């Protein structure tokens, strides 16, 4: 049920019948991302191996009579493919059985990925649910940022690394928020720096994004919509010649090999630190080139 993680954005949009266009009234690509992500969150939590089991294990039998046959296939297939978004009532009911699933479906990151949506709506929602470690990094001691988001000028690769190692939906949302705020303020240098950091975090999240069915199509969306706007002095960042899935797989394998040689199980933060070290290793040209600047079209 993970075939969607390998699809290009075009094929993903075809399967989910969405538009790869932030304008207009049609169902947006990002709605398909969040639905597919929610579906796989429930798939892993329930242990289901088919859409039939998803319905049987998760949703209560809703029939008009005891003898009415139940078709358990089409509805959950549509969620798997991102064709429809579950209703608020259904998502709320499932949340009681699988806590945290609704937070995935309605995470502020999905709103931040939509350039047709105002930051003024997404930022307060995100800031209100950030864990303390993320909030401290984003706020950087600014009292004003407790109620509103203030883009400071002291962002550096070192400070961004603190956010990168927390790779997850919250940290990714913070980074996209920073990038969009820099673009809004016209600071192309900072936007370029956040674009590099975004590529690095997406690599760290490779296994998570793949397991949730949105790896390649969501990265394609970021590459097509966000990264072109982060060009600075004629260059923007990308994932090297082998592309995102190849780069993420190479990084994960290298980190796993080192972990095996150490003969100990690393925590998620330690694993993230290790992968960041590999990306920063100037002596490992093959790995450090996984995130590389490329000429921006038209330059």
């Amino acid at each position: 049920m993970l075939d969607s993680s390998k699809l290009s954005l075009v094929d993903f949009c075809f399967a989910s019948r969405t538009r790869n266009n932030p304008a207009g009234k049609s169902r947006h690509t990002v709605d398909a991302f969040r639905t597919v992500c929610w579906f796989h969150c429930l798939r892993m939590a329930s242990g289901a191996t088919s859409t039939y089991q998803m319905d049987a294990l998760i949703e209560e039998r809703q029939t008009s009579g005891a003898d009415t046959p139940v078709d358990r296939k089409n509805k959950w297939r549509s969620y798997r493919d991102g064709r429809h978004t579950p209703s608020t009532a259904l998502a709320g009911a499932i949340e009681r059985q699988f806590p945290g699933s609704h937070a995935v479906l309605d995470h502020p990151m999905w709103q931040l990925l939509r350039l047709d949506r105002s930051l003024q709506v997404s930022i307060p929602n995100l800031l209100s649910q950030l864990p303390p470690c993320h909030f401290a990094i984003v706020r950087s001691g600014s009292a004003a940022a407790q109620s509103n988001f203030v883009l400071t000028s002291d962002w550096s690769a070192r400070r961004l690394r603190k956010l990168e190692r927390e790779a997850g939906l919250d940290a990714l949302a913070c980074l996209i928020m920073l990038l969009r705020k820099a673009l809004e303020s016209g600071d192309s240098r900072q936007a370029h720096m956040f674009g590099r950091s975004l590529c690095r975090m997406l690599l760290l999240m490779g296994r998570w994004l793949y397991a949730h069915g949105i790896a390649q199509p969501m990265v394609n969306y970021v590459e097509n919509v966000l990264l072109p706007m982060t060009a600075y002095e004629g260059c923007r960042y990308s994932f090297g010649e082998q592309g995102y899935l190849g780069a993420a797989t190479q990084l994960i394998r290298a980190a796993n090999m080192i972990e095996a040689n150490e003969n100990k199980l690393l925590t998620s933060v330690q694993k993230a630190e290790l992968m960041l070290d590999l990306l920063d290793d100037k002596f490992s040209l093959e790995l450090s080139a996984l995130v590389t600047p490329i000429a921006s079209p038209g330059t």
Side-chain angles (χ1 to χ4, degrees):
M1 288 196 287
L2 284 169
D3 290 346
S4 59
S5 257
K6 295 181 180 180
L7 295 178
S8 68
L9 181 60
V10 172
D11 290 337
F12 181 87
C13 288
F14 178 80
S16 59
R17 299 173 187 170
T18 63
R19 290 164 49 101
N20 184 23
N21 188 334
K25 297 182 179 180
S26 298
R27 177 173 165 77
H28 197 279
T29 310
V30 172
D31 286 326
F33 290 153
R34 69 189 188 98
T35 299
V36 172
C37 191
W38 173 81
F39 171 90
H40 286 289
C41 176
L42 294 172
R43 173 189 63 81
M44 289 182 284
S46 66
T49 58
S50 68
T51 52
Y52 181 93
Q53 285 188 350
M54 292 288 286
D55 197 353
L57 292 172
I58 295 174
E59 193 169 2
E60 294 182 3
R61 177 173 174 144
Q62 297 182 9
T63 61
S64 57
D67 297 327
T68 304
V70 180
D71 180 5
R72 298 188 183 278
K73 300 177 182 178
N74 293 335
K75 184 175 183 178
W76 284 86
R77 279 181 181 172
S78 74
Y79 296 150
R80 179 196 64 190
D81 297 334
R83 290 197 299 270
H84 300 96
T85 300
S87 67
T88 301
L90 175 61
I94 291 176
E95 170 69 15
R96 291 191 287 271
Q97 186 178 359
F98 297 98
S101 59
H102 195 277
V104 171
L105 180 66
D106 280 347
H107 198 279
M109 189 194 71
W110 309 120
Q111 299 299 320
L112 288 163
L113 279 174
R114 294 190 54 168
L115 300 188
D116 59 331
R117 296 286 174 85
S118 170
L119 287 178
Q120 300 306 315
V121 175
S122 303
I123 288 177
N125 188 17
L126 173 61
L127 291 176
S128 67
Q129 60 182 261
L130 280 183
C133 60
H134 292 46
F135 193 78
I137 298 170
V138 173
R139 186 182 62 183
S140 188
S142 171
Q146 293 184 21
S147 58
N148 192 15
F149 178 69
V150 178
L151 186 64
T152 59
S153 60
D154 61 343
W155 282 97
S156 63
R158 183 176 180 180
R159 182 179 169 196
L160 276 172
R161 182 178 168 122
K162 294 179 180 178
L163 190 58
E164 291 166 357
R165 72 185 183 191
E166 303 292 339
L169 281 183
D170 288 337
L172 187 60
C174 289
L175 197 48
I176 294 171
M177 177 177 68
L178 289 166
L179 191 155
R180 287 193 60 186
K181 199 69 175 177
L183 291 171
E184 186 181 81
S185 64
D187 192 333
S188 57
R189 185 192 65 81
Q190 274 202 337
H192 186 64
M193 179 174 60
F194 294 143
R196 173 181 180 270
S197 190
L198 178 57
C199 288
R200 286 158 61 90
M201 189 180 292
L202 288 171
L203 285 177
L204 266 61
M205 291 182 66
R207 182 170 300 191
W208 191 95
L209 291 173
Y210 188 88
H212 287 77
I214 58 173
Q216 188 62 61
M218 193 179 110
V219 170
N220 281 163
Y221 179 86
V222 170
E223 288 179 306
N224 294 346
V225 176
L226 285 177
L227 290 181
M229 295 189 292
T230 67
Y232 181 66
E233 295 183 344
C235 289
R236 64 179 179 86
Y237 285 97
S238 186
F239 296 102
E241 295 181 358
Q242 58 187 315
Y244 173 72
L245 285 180
T249 299
Q250 185 179 353
L251 181 62
I252 291 169
R253 284 176 178 170
N256 287 344
M257 188 178 299
I258 293 174
E259 183 180 33
N261 288 337
E262 292 289 335
N263 197 27
K264 66 177 182 180
L265 190 62
L266 301 178
T267 66
S268 60
V269 173
Q270 288 173 331
K271 194 71 166 285
E273 287 279 14
L274 173 58
M275 288 193 281
L276 289 172
D277 285 342
L278 290 170
L279 291 175
D280 288 333
D281 187 359
K282 305 305 180 186
F283 297 100
S284 176
L285 297 179
E286 188 177 10
L287 287 171
S288 62
L290 295 183
V291 176
T292 183
I294 62 171
S296 184
T299 60

